Amino acid sequence: MTTTSREASRLSANQAAVEAMLSAEPELIDILPALEAVPGMTEETILVSGPLMQWQDYTGCQRLAVVGAAVFEGLAATPAEADALLHSGEIRLGSCHEYGAVGSLTGVCSASMPVLVVQDRLSGRTATCRMNEGPGTQALTFGSQGPAVDDNLARIRNHVAPALAQLLRESPIPLLPIMGQALAMGDELHGRQTAAGLLFRNAVLERILRRPGDGPEAASLLAYLDTAEFHFLHVAMAAAKVIADGAESIPGSSIVTAMAMNEKEFAVRVSGVPGQWFRTPLPPIAGFSGKLMAPWTSADLGYSGGDSLIMETLGLGGAAAAAAPALSPVSIGTPAQMMELTSSLYAVASTEHPTLRIPALGGRGVPWGMDAAAIARLRLVPPVHIGATLRRGGLAGAIFFTPPLQPFIDAAERLQSIR
C-alpha cells in the first residue's frame, strides 16, 4: 500500500470513528452502588484512574485514596492491614477504564460507592463515574482520609444518591443539551462547570416538583447540588466515556479515545489499537501555570492521577479554553490567548462538533475527533485544566497542564506497523 493510500485509509477510518462519536445521545439514567452497575466489580475490588500499575508503585495520593477506600468499605480495619491485603491481592486493584468507568483525580471507587450511570440512548452502551464528594478540599478522591471524609461518603451514599436515583429512574436527563448550553454560558466543562451545574440542578428541581412530598431527602439532594461545585463534571465524564467508547476498535483509526493519568504516568488510547495504553512518565509538576490556595506552592503538589482528561479527549476542557474566559487566571493566560489556543487545535481535530459550540469563536463547534497522528506530526498536544492536589492528600487549587507528546508518537507508529 502506498503512502497516499495508507493516509486515505486512515482518514476514512477516522471519519467512521468520528461519526460513531457524533451519533451518541448520552442520558443520565440511574445511580447505583458500583457493585451493581460496574461490569466485573466485586466486593474486594477498588478502582483507580489511569493505566494500572503494580500496588507497590503507588506511593502518593492514589495510594492514600485506595487505602482509605479499603477501610471505608470494611475490607480492612487499619491502613496497615489494607496495605497487606493489597500486596497479597486479596484486595484487587483495577483501572476504571477497564471496567467501563472513569474517575476524577485519584479515581478511587469501591463496591458500595454510588456511581452515575450514563447510557447512550441509541446503542444502549453505558459508562459510570462515582458521584462527586461535594464541597471542601478534603475528599477521598483527593487522597484525604479520616472520619469526616468517611461520614461525607456515607451521607452521599445513604441519602443524596438514592434521592437522585429515584428521580432519574422515572425521567432520565439528556446530557448533550446541558453541555451545549453550558458552553454558551461560559463553561469549558472541565475546570469550569458553573453553568452546567445550575442547568443540571434545574433539571433535577423540575423532576422534584413533579412528585411533591419527598421531604428531607429532596432537601438533602438540593443542598448537595447547591454546594458541590463540580458535581456535573462527574456526570459529563461518564457522558464523554460513553461517547468516546463508540469510536473504539475501528481498524486503522488514529482517533484518540482516552487520555488519562495515574500518579506517575500519562497515557493515551486510540481507536485502531483497542485496549492498549501508550504511556510515558509525567514531567515534574513544578512550573505549571495555575492558581493555588494559600499557603500552598508548587513544591507541595503531587500528581494524583485522573480520567477527567476524557473531557479534553473530546475537545472540551482545556482544549475548549476559549469558551471559558473566566478561567484565565488558571489557564494559559489571557482570554485572547485562550482563544488562540483553542483555534490552534482545529489542526489536530477531524471536525467540529455540530452542537457543542463556542460563542467566542463565532459559534464554531469544539475541535472534535482528536487525531493522534496529527498531534504527533504537528507536535501539538491538547492541554488540560485539572485540579492541583497535595502530595499528602487534599486539594490545593487548579493548574494548566500540557501532557507529554511521546504517547501520541508511539500510538501513531504502532498504527503504522499494523497496516
Side-chain angles (χ1 to χ4, degrees):
M1 185 181 291
T2 66
T3 300
T4 301
S5 61
R6 280 200 302 267
E7 180 66 7
S9 176
R10 182 181 69 82
L11 293 176
S12 177
N14 284 355
Q15 182 177 0
V18 168
E19 288 176 354
M21 293 194 298
L22 287 173
S23 72
E25 295 184 13
E27 296 181 322
L28 180 62
I29 64 168
D30 207 346
I31 299 177
L32 292 166
L35 186 63
E36 298 179 27
V38 177
M41 192 72 173
T42 71
E43 293 181 350
E44 295 78 26
T45 299
I46 297 176
L47 304 182
V48 291
S49 58
L52 197 63
M53 301 189 293
Q54 296 296 315
W55 172 241
Q56 61 268 21
D57 294 328
Y58 291 94
T59 58
C61 284
Q62 285 189 305
R63 182 185 187 88
L64 292 169
V66 170
V67 167
V71 173
F72 171 76
E73 204 64 43
L75 298 174
T78 65
E81 182 184 359
D83 179 56
L85 293 172
L86 284 152
H87 270 294
S88 70
E90 292 180 65
I91 297 178
R92 178 183 177 186
L93 202 61
S95 167
C96 288
H97 270 285
E98 312 302 335
Y99 287 75
V102 279
S104 177
L105 292 173
T106 62
V108 67
C109 181
S110 56
S112 74
M113 294 179 183
V115 296
L116 302 146
V117 183
V118 172
Q119 182 179 60
D120 174 23
R121 188 179 67 83
L122 299 180
S123 69
R125 185 172 60 251
T126 63
T128 64
C129 183
R130 183 165 72 86
M131 285 189 75
N132 182 273
E133 290 177 59
T137 60
Q138 301 300 309
L140 193 66
T141 199
F142 306 147
S144 303
Q145 301 175 355
V149 170
D150 289 352
D151 287 348
N152 186 53
L153 288 169
R155 178 184 65 84
I156 292 172
R157 178 188 64 193
N158 299 335
H159 300 287
V160 177
L164 183 51
Q166 188 174 33
L167 299 172
L168 294 171
R169 290 165 193 165
E170 296 173 359
S171 180
I173 298 178
L175 298 176
L176 282 180
I178 291 177
M179 294 165 71
Q181 290 177 60
L183 282 166
M185 296 167 68
D187 285 353
E188 39 73 87
L189 293 168
H190 191 171
R192 190 178 193 273
Q193 297 278 324
T194 306
L198 291 172
L199 293 166
F200 182 77
R201 184 188 184 279
N202 286 344
V204 171
L205 183 57
E206 289 176 4
R207 286 156 175 78
I208 290 174
L209 292 174
R210 292 178 201 158
R211 54 184 332 273
D214 285 346
E217 296 303 310
S220 178
L221 170 57
L222 289 174
Y224 165 81
L225 294 175
D226 281 338
T227 58
E229 180 183 1
F230 284 90
H231 67 262
F232 189 79
L233 172 59
H234 292 225
V235 178
M237 286 171 59
K241 171 70 171 168
V242 159
I243 292 168
D245 280 357
E248 279 283 351
S249 303
I250 297 178
S253 173
S254 55
I255 294 298
V256 180
T257 56
M259 301 193 297
M261 302 190 300
N262 57 43
E263 63 180 44
K264 293 184 177 178
E265 301 168 307
F266 167 73
V268 303
R269 282 180 165 176
V270 295
S271 171
V273 193
Q276 181 174 338
W277 288 111
F278 297 90
R279 55 175 89 184
T280 195
L282 285 162
I285 201 167
F288 293 136
S289 62
K291 186 174 183 180
L292 303 181
M293 295 175 281
W296 311 118
T297 70
S298 60
D300 300 304
L301 303 182
Y303 287 111
S304 60
D307 293 328
S308 60
L309 282 65
I310 195 72
M311 304 311 297
E312 280 79 8
T313 301
L314 294 191
L316 298 165
L327 277 183
S328 59
V330 298
S331 188
I332 190 172
T334 66
Q337 289 173 309
M338 296 165 80
M339 291 174 63
E340 291 172 6
L341 169 63
T342 299
S343 296
S344 72
L345 292 174
Y346 291 105
V348 296
S350 297
T351 188
E352 302 174 18
H353 197 278
T355 60
L356 300 177
R357 297 181 175 275
I358 302 174
L361 296 181
R364 293 189 74 174
V366 299
W368 191 260
M370 295 297 179
D371 181 357
I375 291 169
R377 183 178 69 255
L378 298 175
R379 306 182 70 82
L380 183 59
V381 179
V384 176
H385 292 149
I386 196 168
T389 47
L390 300 167
R391 287 195 306 273
R392 62 174 183 268
L395 187 67
I399 58 174
F400 175 81
F401 165 61
T402 301
L405 175 67
Q406 191 60 46
F408 299 97
I409 296 174
D410 294 342
E413 291 178 350
R414 174 63 176 145
L415 278 167
Q416 287 281 359
S417 73
I418 60 179
R419 285 180 186 160

